[in-house]
Amino acid sequence: MTSNPTPASQATGSAATTATTTSTVKAAADSFASLPLPPATLDNLKRLGYEVMTPIQAAALPLALAGADLIAQAKTGSGKTAAFALALLANLNVRRFAVQALVLCPTRELADQVTQEVRRLARAEDHIKVLTLCGGVTMRPQLASLEHGAHIVVGTPGRIMDHLERGSLNLEALNTLVLDEADRMLDMGFFDDITTVAKQCPKQRQTLLFSATYPEGITKLAAAFMREPKQVTLVERHAASKIRQRFYEVKEDERLHAVSQLLNHYRPVSTLAFCNTKLQCRWLVDVLRGQGFIAHELHGDLDQRERDQVLVQFANGSCSVLVATDIAARGLDIAQLEAVINVDITPDAATHTHRIGRTGRVDAEGWAFSLASMDEMGRVGQIEHELKFVAEWHKLAELTPTSKDKLLPPMATLQILGGRKEKIRAGDVLGALTKDMGFAGSQIGKISVNEFSTYVAVDRESAPLALKKLSAGKVKGKSVKVRMLES
Ligand code: AMP
């Protein structure tokens, strides 16, 4: 291993400012077909609707596929997962049934998202097994899965360490190590764990490090175990092009009500509302629910199961507003967020960027609304100064309801008491609803199978009937207990 205290500063593929160029020359360079990928992979990408590479993919993939170690600056929503997933899949020998790639993630939610994306991309080849190993769940099923073997492991550093110490995970055949959201793993105190894991990997391997920011620890990590890494830096593109920011001046007693005014005016299907304190979250959820919105709070006091439940409902379109503090929203990766509301102005410009960057993802535009009182004007000024933009101010009086109907989410969630433990698979539930109970596939949304529960999103109007039929019918030949989650 070469110790290289300053990573190669060669900035490659920088200054990609937008993913939506129409120039034919650019389109060709942005096409996945310009990469040395097998035809089956290219076909699969087409099926997934990935037509052009995102800027981070265009910058990172040619280098990664050529075998270089990379330090890439990318955040959630940039398409970074596919950037490293395609590289690790290219290094994979499917016939060799041993762990050849390890992806370390800061949180379980991110690990689950990464696993899903890797599985989607791995579909081009048969029988690639991807395993998630995270803390917060019991060891035993993980040990059993490891005994069956896997090609790719995605997990959180603490749990991966546990498995290495027990000898249940063997990294001798590893050829790709990925650190996803490395800055957040460092924030969470995983420096030593990451270095220990890296030391147990073969020296001959490719290491890919993805991080939204470059704190000092990143250079240290790179120096500790990367080989002449190339650096890929991208200019932020979300601020200007995809996110429409609007600021509203509010008096303190108007603030919470202003959130419902925004919702009734813009009618976003899904909104993430940030408050600076837990108490403010609580109050806002009470106000919103009082007005008939379906809103949930994400806070640190929820246990893992409750947190999963809230996130499932938000991700599957059964909850209109998720209210969270910055800490509670850590590790959240939600595609298709239409709006972010800064209920309070954060004192920190980087946090503001992080919050609003959650909307306006890859192929969608997003709204970012900020409510500011006179006392917060200094903070807004600071954010404008640091992020080099001029806030666009609007008046609360402009926010008139644009429909007579209540804003409701399109789906509702049914919880089946029974999950992976009972060997329920998404296909079993979909089959029961469509084949046995006469629902159309279009009435059924996301089906998430967790360890003990299965969550099924059903078109809001059909949900009561689906509840009745599922309760009376069978899944996999067995009666099941079902309930509709509070909405
Ligand atoms: P990520 O930043 O990896 O979390 O990706 C954000 C979202 O963009 C995911 O839902 C991906 O499935 C999607 N995505 C990634 N690459 C592309 C692409 N080239 N074209 C369209 N969507 C993409």
Side-chain angles (χ1 to χ4, degrees):
M1 236 174 301
T2 327
S3 180
N4 180 7
T6 40
S9 59
Q10 181 187 346
T12 320
S14 62
T17 48
T18 165
T20 51
T21 173
T22 46
S23 126
T24 38
V25 177
K26 190 80 198 297
D30 282 354
S31 156
F32 284 101
S34 66
L35 299 172
L37 290 171
T41 304
L42 292 174
D43 283 350
N44 185 39
L45 286 166
K46 250 190 224 135
R47 265 198 302 276
L48 291 172
Y50 294 12
E51 278 161 19
V52 289
M53 289 191 267
T54 64
I56 186 68
Q57 291 164 356
L61 275 167
L63 295 164
L65 291 172
D69 277 9
L70 285 191
I71 299 183
Q73 185 178 24
K75 55 174 58 181
T76 299
S78 61
K80 67 182 164 67
T81 317
F84 62 72
L86 288 169
L88 70 85
L89 288 168
N91 289 343
L92 205 74
N93 175 354
V94 187
R95 271 163 297 163
R96 182 161 189 204
F97 200 38
V99 177
Q100 294 169 59
L102 172 65
V103 184
L104 291 179
C105 300
T107 63
R108 195 161 79 100
E109 275 113 27
L110 184 67
D112 284 336
Q113 297 283 343
V114 167
T115 304
Q116 281 169 21
E117 178 80 346
V118 172
R119 286 204 177 115
R120 271 197 291 271
L121 293 165
R123 254 186 245 149
E125 290 239 30
D126 284 340
H127 310 309
I128 295 182
K129 200 162 161 215
V130 191
L131 185 62
T132 325
L133 299 177
C134 294
V137 294
T138 46
M139 266 290 193
R140 198 155 352 135
Q142 295 187 350
L143 293 172
S145 304
L146 277 166
E147 267 179 26
H148 286 107
H151 294 100
I152 301 164
V153 167
V154 182
T156 45
R159 184 52 65 99
I160 297 291
M161 284 280 291
D162 286 351
H163 282 290
L164 289 172
E165 277 163 14
R166 277 168 176 256
S168 43
L169 175 64
N170 181 333
L171 297 178
E172 276 166 18
L174 188 121
N175 54 34
T176 319
L177 173 65
V178 180
L179 309 180
D180 193 12
E181 305 207 350
D183 48 353
R184 287 195 13 231
M185 289 200 279
L186 293 179
D187 274 353
M188 293 163 88
F190 283 136
F191 186 95
D192 290 340
D193 284 356
I194 296 172
T195 9
T196 312
V197 172
K199 277 195 192 123
Q200 301 214 16
C201 300
K203 289 189 179 172
Q204 271 307 321
R205 60 153 202 272
Q206 186 175 21
T207 307
L208 305 170
L209 182 154
F210 283 73
S211 190
T213 57
Y214 288 163
E216 194 194 340
I218 298 287
T219 322
K220 281 200 195 140
L221 277 182
F225 58 75
M226 294 181 78
R227 285 175 307 154
E228 297 171 19
K230 300 244 188 295
Q231 206 159 305
V232 176
T233 328
L234 290 181
V235 170
E236 291 274 340
R237 73 193 157 90
H238 69 239
S241 56
K242 313 267 294 292
I243 300 176
R244 292 167 290 180
Q245 280 208 73
R246 291 193 167 174
F247 285 73
Y248 293 83
E249 187 183 331
V250 292
K251 297 202 187 72
E252 222 36 83
D253 60 354
E254 293 171 328
R255 196 187 289 274
L256 301 184
H257 185 63
V259 175
S260 45
Q261 286 178 271
L262 284 167
L263 296 171
N264 282 327
H265 182 80
Y266 292 97
R267 298 182 69 80
V269 173
S270 59
T271 301
L272 184 54
F274 283 103
C275 300
N276 288 352
T277 64
K278 274 202 260 186
L279 198 59
Q280 180 85 307
C281 290
R282 181 74 285 172
W283 285 335
L284 178 60
V285 167
D286 286 347
V287 166
L288 293 177
R289 288 192 175 165
Q291 299 185 3
F293 292 103
I294 309 239
H296 285 289
E297 187 187 350
L298 194 67
H299 57 75
D301 304 337
L302 298 180
D303 65 32
Q304 191 65 46
R305 208 180 292 191
E306 291 166 325
R307 188 176 158 92
D308 282 348
Q309 228 171 60
V310 169
L311 291 178
V312 161
Q313 289 179 85
F314 190 60
N316 73 15
S318 332
C319 161
S320 303
V321 191
L322 188 65
V323 180
T325 57
D326 296 295
I327 295 175
R330 265 190 166 191
L332 214 62
D333 177 23
I334 300 160
Q336 292 177 344
L337 198 57
E338 268 184 54
V340 165
I341 302 179
N342 293 307
V343 182
D344 304 301
I345 305 294
T346 159
D348 164 35
T351 305
H352 183 83
T353 310
H354 197 68
R355 284 178 173 185
I356 68 170
R358 291 170 176 281
T359 184
R361 297 265 167 105
V362 173
D363 49 6
E365 289 202 328
W367 285 108
F369 305 113
S370 300
L371 304 175
S373 65
M374 278 312 281
D375 289 348
E376 290 169 320
M377 290 303 165
R379 292 181 179 180
V380 176
Q382 189 63 28
I383 290 172
E384 286 180 296
H385 176 71
E386 284 187 34
L387 304 180
K388 299 190 179 51
F389 79 107
V390 179
E392 182 186 319
W393 288 95
H394 286 258
K395 297 220 172 320
L396 277 188
E398 292 168 19
L399 299 176
T400 47
T402 47
S403 162
K404 284 200 291 295
D405 297 331
K406 236 169 46 174
L407 175 70
L408 285 174
M411 312 300 274
T413 301
L414 304 183
Q415 179 189 17
I416 299 176
L417 304 180
R420 277 199 298 271
K421 268 251 163 355
E422 284 71 28
K423 304 214 181 318
I424 292 186
R425 286 174 310 144
D428 302 328
V429 180
L430 187 64
L433 283 163
T434 51
K435 288 201 201 92
D436 311 344
M437 299 169 195
F439 290 95
S442 56
Q443 292 170 288
I444 316 297
K446 260 195 183 167
I447 300 178
S448 329
V449 185
N450 291 13
E451 198 170 358
F452 301 105
S453 281
T454 302
Y455 300 96
V456 194
V458 182
D459 166 274
R460 180 157 286 275
E461 279 175 9
S462 325
L465 185 62
L467 173 65
K468 216 163 120 189
K469 289 199 170 178
L470 268 177
S471 304
K474 291 190 168 165
V475 173
K476 260 194 141 175
K478 281 198 193 135
S479 302
V480 283
K481 280 216 172 82
V482 192
R483 64 179 191 123
M484 176 128 46
L485 291 185
E486 167 229 15
S487 55

